[in-house]
Every structure is written in structure tokens, then in C-alpha cells.
Amino acid sequence: MTPFAFHVARDCAEALSLGAASGARFIGGGTNLVDLLRQNVESASKLVDVSRLAANIHEVGNGALLVDASVKNSALAAHPMVRGRYPMLSRALLAGASAQIRNMATVGGNIMQRTRCAYFYDVDGARCNKRQPGSGCDAIGGFNRYHAILGVSNDCVATHPSDMCVALAALAALVHLVGPEGERTVPLAEFHVLPGASPQIETVLRPGEMITAIELPPATPAMANSEYRKVRDRSSYAFALVSVAAGLEVVGGKIAEARIALGGVAAKPWRATRAEAALRGLPATRANFLSAAEEELTKAQPLEGNAFKIGLVQRTTAAVLESLAGERA
Amino acid sequence: MTITINGSDYAVPYDSRVSLLDMLRERLSLTGTKLGCNQGACGACTVLLDGERVLSCLTLAAQADGRDVLTIEGMQGADGSLHPLQKAFIEHDGLQCGYCTPGQICSAVAMARELRRGDPSHVTANLAAGPDGPTREEIRERMSGNLCRCGAHNGIVEAIEEMLGREAA
Ligand SMILES: Cc1cc2nc3c(=O)[nH]c(=O)nc-3n(C[C@H](O)[C@H](O)[C@H](O)COP(=O)(O)OP(=O)(O)OC[C@H]3O[C@@H](n4cnc5c(N)ncnc54)[C@H](O)[C@@H]3O)c2cc1C
Ligand code: SF4
Ligand code: FES
Ligand code: FES
């Protein structure tokens, strides 16, 4: 680890001015950043601790829920309004990491966490375009069981590892940002970007900009009737092979609204808009769920080690939607 | 710039790279807290920060400034007697080599509070209603952040069940 200064930000304005220095990095819980600094994947000259900024969850005028970026993952998962109105979000958070890590991890840090691609971490032994642009990608042709099947490029096939973000994408959450040029909001589903020829660029966040909050839109029936299912190599404390966040509203046997997002398949939480559109107005049957999921994956580009993800995503999506249809029927 | 550890105040290390775990072990000789993976994957380094369980290997000491840390050394009673959960671990063979034990004990003490508070877990069937009491399934899921290389998990779960049962009684 290279030496760095450490400052605690007392308010947003102070965080922004401290964070404007070159080499400065925001730190939330540190559960990802401390690890990456220690392994020399990343470096910093200054850490700006944003974990002590206000950490509130409150309802705003129209019934939307505003969650400050410093709210801990465990606090968000346990919040009564989240459990009641957006169960897929509580479920996604509770499926992630361990109780200790959820107590430390912040909402902002969770969104910004980096890939778990083992080659990305292997500073001395592996080539990685994300870590060192232009050096190559050892995952392509290497061990790629955990890697992406959608939105991949010839330069990077890494996945975004967050469970929380998959639910946020399905809920159409907004990310609130503030930076040197002022405030703006970006839909969570557009916050992370696909790798293309520059996998080192992972989000639309600008230099010096920070996440201040996420906004959950007023709950619809499909948000309230929602689930998160995670498939992994052990039943707890493991990253997803694939995961599905889904919400469903069935009226008179026909699908009024389906919300679906996929995890473990791309460099971003993947909102399955094609499948959602395909399902609208159809009867809520397993066959329809399966063919919608198939349609979403027609453009999948599997690697040697992860072709199983295509079928796994289809079956998991269909199973989740079936159980949601059952609960409403 | 001080951290309260087991009731005593200590200065935050000058070098901001020092983890809370290294501060405890290397600078204060509080070696009860164990170093396993040093990357968040095992739970051996679990301590309580302001009453909540966290991993001291991924916590910079500077992040604990002004806060209250409780380690395994602080678990015993004022008269030096073992914490009830420590006794239960001995009775139920909740350990073999003992390396993961301090982390398990700290983790379980905080977990008991989370359960009492009604916090849900991944296996809680009814999210809105909260956990259906301290079932084995709930305990196993909630303790999944603490690995035991010796495989003493059955004894660990039994010891925790006993502690939670006594609390409920
Ligand atoms: C062993 C292990 C297992 C895990 N398993 C899972 C899992 O199964 N599922 C899952 O989803 N996650 C998992 N995680 C990852 C964990 O969820 C993330 O590490 C955590 O959410 C990051 O949050 P943090 O606050 O600790 O971020 P930090 O480590 O503090 O920061 C991460 C990044 O976010 C930036 N950042 C922080 N706050 C802000 C802000 N407000 N604005 C802009 N940038 C900011 C930092 O600069 C840094 O780049 C696991 C982690 C570990 C160590
Ligand atoms: S998949 Fe991406 S992160 Fe992994 S080695 Fe290739 S370039 Fe690096
Ligand atoms: S040493 Fe901290 S989790 Fe393993
Ligand atoms: S008792 Fe040996 S690691 Fe748990």
C-alpha cells in the first residue's frame, strides 16, 4: 500500500472539496477499497471518509423513498418500508456478502464496487485491460466460469458483482450525484457502462463527483410482489453465478407489469427490457416466462467456461416469475 | 483522535494505512482477534464496532476514530469469568484448533442482538414479519460470515442455540 492521508468529511461540501484533489478517493465502509489498496490494484494519495455523512432513509412527497449513500447495507435491508414495498431489494441485500460486511458496506460503495475477476486482482501474475489498459485480458481463454455473457467486448468480460444493484435496476432506481459542476440524477440502469474498448471506465461518474443518494420510485404492485433469487456455488457468503430480481403484477390472468433484472451476466446489472416487453399482456404461464427469458438472451456470447449461464438464467427467471404468479393467483 | 477498545482509550495510529486488526495485534498486543485471510473472506478478525459486528481486517484504524471497539478480550465478566457463550462453546465442543473461535464468539454475540431486534436474514420466510425465532437454519445463515477450517460448525451452532435459549428463558 502506498501511503495516503485520511480525512473525515463532515458534510457534502467538505467531501467535495477534499475529493477534488488529484489522487483523492472517497471511502465508505472500505470493504472493497481497503482490499484493492492492500493488493496494489488501486492506489490513493488521500482517502475522504464519506461514511459519517448523514445516513437517512425517508419518504419524499410523491411516495418515493430517498436513501442516503452512507446508509449501511444492513440498515437498508432491515428498513420496514423496504421490506414491505420493495422486498426484492431487501432480499438482494441479504443475499450479499456476510452480516459483518453488510454492517460496514455503504450504498454508495456497493454501487461503486469493482469486479471480482481474479485476473483483475492478480497484479503480478495476470494481464488485465481493466487494471492496465492495453495489456490484454487473461480471462478470455482462461478460467471464466464467473464471467459475463451479455454486453461483453474483445477487451473485457468481467461482471459487476453487486446483488443490490440488480434489484435497483429492476426497480428503476435513480442515482443522485453531486460534483464540481453541480447536482444531477442518473438512472441506476444507465450508471454502469459496458466495457467496449475501455473497460477501465466502469460508470458515468465524473472526476470529483460523488453519489449522495438513491431514489426508489413510488412502489407499484409489481415492486411490492417481488423476489430476488441468487444461484451460487455455496448457499451463503458467495458471489452470484447468476441472479434474478423480478416483480410481477397479474390482472385477470394476464401480465400487467413484469420487472426483471439479471446479475452475474454483464459488466452492469442487466435490466431485461426485451423480456419485460415480451411478457406484457400475456398469460402468466411457465412457457411464456421461459420464452421471454430466451428472447432476452438471444444475443448472449458465452465463453468456454460459462455457457451454462444461458440455461441457468432462463430457468431461474422462469422459476422466480412462476412463484410470483403463484403468490398472486 | 482516540479509539476506545474494551473500555480504554488508545491513540489512532499516525500511519493511516494501519488496519484496526493490525493495531489490535501488532501495536496493542491484543492477539485474541485473529488474522485469517486479511481480505474479508473468513471472519476470524470479527470485532464489535459501536456494538455491531465488523471485520477488523478491512477496517482502517482511522475509520474507528471516536468509536467503541469490543474484542474477545473484553467479553469476560468484571470478575474474569468467561462469557456464557464461551462456556457454551467449551461444553458443546464448538472448537477444535480454536483459531476461528474469537471471531465466532464476537460474531454470535452481535448476532443475538440482531435477532432480538427482528432483523431479517436471507432465510427469513416472511420478510415483513421478521425471523421466526432462533432456528438452526437462521443461526447457520447468520453465522455464514465465520468459517471454521476444522469443521466444528455443529458444535458452534449448538453452543449458540444454548445461549439464545437461555436468553429467551
Ligand atoms: C468476502 C466478500 C464477499 C462479498 N460478497 C458479496 C456478495 O455476495 N454480493 C455483493 O453484492 N457484494 C459482495 N461483496 C462486496 C461488498 O458488497 C462491497 O465491498 C461493498 O458493498 C462496498 O461498499 P463499501 O462502502 O465498503 O465501499 P468502499 O470499499 O468504501 O468503496 C468502494 C468504492 O466506492 C467508492 N465510493 C464509496 N462511496 C462513494 C460515494 N458516496 N460516491 C462515490 N464513490 C464512492 C470508493 O471510492 C471505492 O472506489 C463482498 C465483499 C467481500 C470482501
Ligand atoms: S475480464 Fe476484464 S477484469 Fe478480468 S482480466 Fe479481462 S480485462 Fe481484466
Ligand atoms: S481476516 Fe478478516 S475476514 Fe479473514
Ligand atoms: S476451530 Fe479450528 S478453525 Fe474453527
Side-chain angles (χ1 to χ4, degrees), chain B residues 23 27 30 35 70 79 124 131 134 169:
Chain B
M23 177 186 179
R27 305 196 171 211
L30 289 168
L35 166 68
L70 186 66
D79 59 351
T124 303

Side-chain angles (χ1 to χ4, degrees), chain A residues 1 4 38 52 91 236-237, chain B residues 16-17 40 57 63 124 144:
Chain A
M1 246 194 280
F4 47 76
R38 188 176 284 149
R52 301 197 195 207
R91 291 284 184 202
S236 189
Y237 202 13
Chain B
S16 38
R17 290 173 295 181
C57 73
Q63 290 173 282
T124 303
S144 73

Side-chain angles (χ1 to χ4, degrees), chain B:
Chain B
M1 294 288 285
T2 59
I3 307 175
T4 307
I5 301 170
N6 301 331
S8 306
D9 288 350
Y10 299 91
V12 177
Y14 179 73
D15 185 341
S16 38
R17 290 173 295 181
V18 175
S19 68
L20 178 58
L21 176 61
D22 283 345
M23 177 186 179
L24 293 170
R25 291 183 55 85
E26 310 295 333
R27 305 196 171 211
L28 304 179
S29 296
L30 289 168
T31 53
T33 307
K34 298 300 185 229
L35 166 68
C37 63
N38 215 26
Q39 53 183 23
C42 75
C45 65
T46 302
V47 300
L48 305 197
L49 187 62
D50 288 341
E52 306 291 347
R53 48 182 168 162
V54 299
L55 301 175
S56 60
C57 73
L58 292 183
T59 303
L60 296 173
Q63 290 173 282
D65 183 20
R67 301 209 158 125
D68 207 71
V69 176
L70 186 66
T71 71
I72 191 68
E73 286 90 348
M75 285 288 168
Q76 60 189 16
D79 59 351
S81 63
L82 292 179
H83 185 279
L85 184 59
Q86 290 177 305
K87 288 184 195 152
F89 262 64
I90 296 169
E91 283 160 29
H92 292 274
D93 287 329
L95 69 155
Q96 283 180 41
C97 76
Y99 199 80
C100 70
T101 315
Q104 302 275 6
I105 304 257
C106 288
S107 189
V109 165
M111 185 215 56
R113 201 168 305 137
E114 294 162 13
L115 260 176
R116 276 200 298 275
R117 214 158 50 198
D119 292 356
S121 86
H122 175 61
V123 300
T124 303
N126 186 330
L127 207 51
D132 202 8
T135 62
R136 274 186 88 84
E137 201 195 2
E138 283 281 3
I139 294 172
R140 292 179 67 91
E141 163 59 22
R142 287 165 193 267
M143 291 299 293
S144 73
N146 293 82
L147 306 189
C148 174
R149 291 294 300 266
C150 298
H153 293 102
N154 286 335
I156 292 169
V157 172
E158 279 158 25
I160 295 171
E161 272 185 312
E162 182 183 312
M163 170 182 73
L164 295 173
R166 275 206 215 122
E167 271 178 8

